[in-house]
Amino acid sequence: MHALRYLFLMSASLLTGCVAVTIQSNVKPDAKPDFQRILIVSRLPMQRPGYLAKFQTAFPTSYQVCSVADSPIAFETPDELIQRQQESCKSEVILTLGFSRNYTSGGGKSIATFNEVYAEMSSIATGKPFWKAIIETNGSAEIPPRQIVNQLINDGVIAGSVPADRY
């Protein structure tokens, strides 16, 4: 079954030239606060400079989105970076993206690389998570923000729809 799923992911990415993404998520509805301000915290290694900015246009317009990268080359501690950005944006929840693991499948000419990213949304007031996800991609650890936002909408965590792509 897993081999079939990987074959599908690999085929889809080759045909479309895009990142194939599989998301498994879980919601704790009774812990979900009402919120409009979201802080995206990326703990992904080697992300492109414009990656986090894409989240600002991926969420429905009723949400205010700020972001911060927890970079190993930053001079501030991760807690200092997050605290400063959270205070500046007056964020109510934090969506954290962190690298989980990397693995390969197949062999010879049909080898494929997969990355697993862990995502968690938690309340700043309580510190407790109310949405968790494991996201698997082929090749890149950068998950398209619109796909994460679509999953949050499908799971009932946020309301609205993903704005039309401006390209």
Side-chain angles (χ1 to χ4, degrees):
M1 186 65 169
H2 287 297
L4 199 56
R5 183 173 81 177
Y6 297 132
L7 182 61
F8 170 74
L9 286 172
M10 196 166 51
S11 301
S13 67
L14 291 174
L15 291 174
T16 64
C18 296
V19 175
V21 176
T22 303
I23 301 176
Q24 296 177 7
S25 61
N26 194 10
V27 181
K28 189 173 184 181
D30 57 329
K32 182 182 130 351
D34 289 330
F35 62 91
Q36 296 305 126
R37 294 181 176 161
I38 304 164
L39 175 60
I40 311 292
V41 176
S42 173
R43 292 191 166 120
L44 300 174
M46 304 299 291
Q47 65 192 9
R48 291 176 292 190
Y51 175 65
L52 286 177
K54 293 178 185 178
F55 278 94
Q56 294 175 344
T57 58
F59 276 84
T61 56
S62 60
Y63 292 92
Q64 295 175 349
V65 179
C66 291
S67 60
V68 64
D70 175 6
S71 172
I73 60 172
F75 290 105
E76 298 164 296
T77 68
D79 289 341
E80 290 170 339
L81 285 168
I82 293 166
Q83 182 71 28
R84 182 171 38 94
Q85 191 69 348
Q86 185 268 319
E87 288 172 358
S88 171
C89 298
K90 296 178 179 49
S91 304
E92 300 159 310
V93 298
I94 295 178
L95 173 60
T96 305
L97 304 172
F99 185 73
S100 179
R101 67 184 179 124
N102 171 279
Y103 58 97
T104 57
S105 179
K109 292 181 182 180
S110 60
I111 198 163
T113 300
F114 297 93
N115 286 298
E116 210 172 75
V117 172
Y118 175 71
E120 178 179 285
M121 188 175 271
S122 57
S123 165
I124 289 176
T126 66
K128 296 186 182 204
F130 56 90
W131 182 80
K132 294 183 178 189
I134 295 289
I135 306 166
E136 183 181 88
T137 68
N138 63 327
S140 175
E142 289 183 5
I143 299 101
R146 296 165 87 58
Q147 291 187 325
I148 294 172
V149 172
N150 271 325
Q151 188 67 42
L152 289 166
I153 291 168
N154 292 339
D155 289 344
V157 174
I158 62 173
S161 59
V162 175
D165 199 357
R166 292 188 242 181
Y167 300 107

